Amino acid sequence: MTSPVVIVGPHDDAHVVGIAQRVRTFGAEPLLLDAGCFPSALRITLGEDLEDVRIDGARVRPAAVYVRNMGTGALQAAGNAECDSAAERFRNWLVGRERADVLTATLSRWAHLGVPVYNGLAASPRMTKPFQLALLKQAGLPVPATRWTNDPGEVRSFAAAERVAYKPVSGGAATRELEADDLAPSRLELLSRSPVTFQSLMPGEDIRVYVLDGEVIAAIHIVSQAIDFRGHEERCVPVELPADVRQQCVRAAQVIGLRFTGMDLKRDAAGTLRFLELNGSPMFLGFDARAGTDIAGCLAARLASWLPASRGEQEYASAARSSEADRVRELAAG
């Protein structure tokens, strides 16, 4: 049985390529699991035993797994592609579902066996923003006042008290400030098509924080004059977070169940940094290039640390991980 570092994602994805290259610097050849190659060029066999996972004929129980992109959403969406008939569309959907089930079962088996997965499927329900922010708020972490709604009355009431920004529930479009024209009946009628996120507008700086296994490995101030910094970054500057904010970031990753995450925080008018989102598969190469951080190196080193080693190295690594876990628990306990 082989025990490689498995990297899940398209073989031409820049982050997949980058992490694979960094893992190789530790003397290990990672195994790339590309959903786009399954089943045409990638062979997967699952037996009735939990550990019976074979990839291209070899039994695999990874040392660690980095999930960049499972690709199952694209597989299941294949049924929506243009087809000659409803029957063909339905067949495509069924095939996509079959492929997605085998891929998710493979990852679920490894996670169930205790393989460290960055990040697995367990956190998926907590990745929707309306649930995620509510969990953070329940845990006592600072989040902005927010409404996810398709009710025009709720929007008018919320906007009457303060400046408000709006954006899609799942992303995909820029954040904008809610203006008077947006409260016109013709605009609010659009809510009958889709709910929208309405959130207290926060004028302070944007901070991106990366947490890996209970440790803040990078914090970056994204300098921008725009409400939504994406595409409007002037520069990215590494910053040192206060101890209480670092503790909050570690706690946030624990609450959502993410071993590795990039989280967005923004400062409100009173100066409080509030959590906007935790991402289970954050991009980081661009921030490394612009801010001089080494998030890729930290992640690759952590993945490689799980590779089989000599007994003495294993004992040292185990002791180091235990010490780190104790430190994380202390931080979480405050």
Side-chain angles (χ1 to χ4, degrees), residues 2-298:
T2 61
S3 300
V5 168
V6 172
I7 301 175
V8 182
H11 66 277
D12 56 353
D13 179 279
H15 287 73
V16 169
V17 173
I19 290 298
Q21 290 173 340
R22 297 298 291 270
V23 168
R24 291 187 184 102
T25 65
F26 293 94
E29 182 60 34
L31 173 62
L32 302 186
L33 193 62
D34 184 347
C37 295
F38 176 67
S40 60
L42 177 66
R43 304 289 185 257
I44 298 176
T45 299
L46 304 179
E48 71 276 11
D49 292 331
L50 196 60
E51 294 195 19
D52 189 3
V53 176
R54 281 166 278 168
I55 298 177
D56 288 335
R59 290 190 65 172
V60 177
R61 178 170 175 171
V65 179
Y66 165 53
V67 182
R68 171 60 184 160
N69 186 344
M70 277 292 291
T72 53
L75 293 178
Q76 291 175 318
N80 295 323
E82 184 174 345
C83 301
D84 293 333
S85 67
E88 182 182 358
R89 183 179 298 108
F90 182 64
R91 283 194 298 270
N92 287 347
W93 177 82
L94 285 176
V95 169
R97 186 185 64 178
E98 301 294 287
R99 296 162 68 190
D101 278 0
V102 169
L103 288 167
T104 56
T106 299
L107 198 63
S108 296
R109 285 187 180 204
W110 288 336
H112 188 79
L113 289 168
V115 174
V117 181
Y118 302 77
N119 287 292
L121 301 170
S124 295
R126 296 185 289 276
M127 297 313 297
T128 59
K129 295 176 188 177
F131 188 31
Q132 187 181 96
L133 261 65
L135 289 173
L136 297 177
K137 175 70 179 297
Q138 184 185 52
L141 296 168
V143 300
T146 311
R147 300 291 183 272
W148 296 270
T149 185
N150 66 332
D151 185 337
E154 286 284 347
V155 178
R156 294 189 190 96
S157 176
F158 189 55
E162 58 186 317
R163 292 175 66 188
V164 170
Y166 68 96
K167 55 189 176 182
V169 175
S170 299
T175 301
R176 300 181 179 181
E177 182 171 2
L178 190 72
E179 305 286 357
D181 290 348
D182 294 315
L183 297 174
S186 58
R187 287 282 290 164
L188 292 178
E189 283 176 5
L190 297 176
L191 292 172
S192 63
R193 300 180 184 176
S194 173
V196 173
T197 304
F198 298 90
Q199 198 165 68
S200 296
L201 190 148
M202 292 179 290
E205 71 259 37
D206 293 280
I207 304 292
R208 169 66 63 89
V209 180
Y210 289 86
V211 172
L212 176 63
D213 278 338
E215 178 185 358
V216 174
I217 59 171
I220 302 163
H221 175 200
I222 305 167
V223 181
S224 175
Q225 302 304 310
I227 293 176
D228 191 327
F229 68 78
R230 293 171 298 178
H232 303 283
E233 304 93 335
E234 296 174 11
R235 62 187 186 279
C236 297
V237 184
V239 294
E240 185 67 29
L241 296 175
D244 61 331
V245 177
R246 293 172 68 90
Q247 179 179 337
Q248 288 176 345
C249 292
V250 169
R251 176 63 177 148
Q254 291 175 327
V255 168
I256 305 305
L258 298 173
R259 299 191 70 127
F260 172 59
T261 179
M263 55 187 73
D264 291 320
L265 295 83
K266 194 170 179 66
R267 201 176 298 278
D268 65 15
T272 299
L273 278 172
R274 297 186 179 274
F275 290 90
L276 297 180
E277 177 187 8
L278 275 71
N279 194 317
S281 181
M283 293 187 289
F284 46 83
L285 295 180
F287 287 109
D288 277 351
R290 299 190 67 173
T293 50
D294 191 20
I295 301 158
C298 290

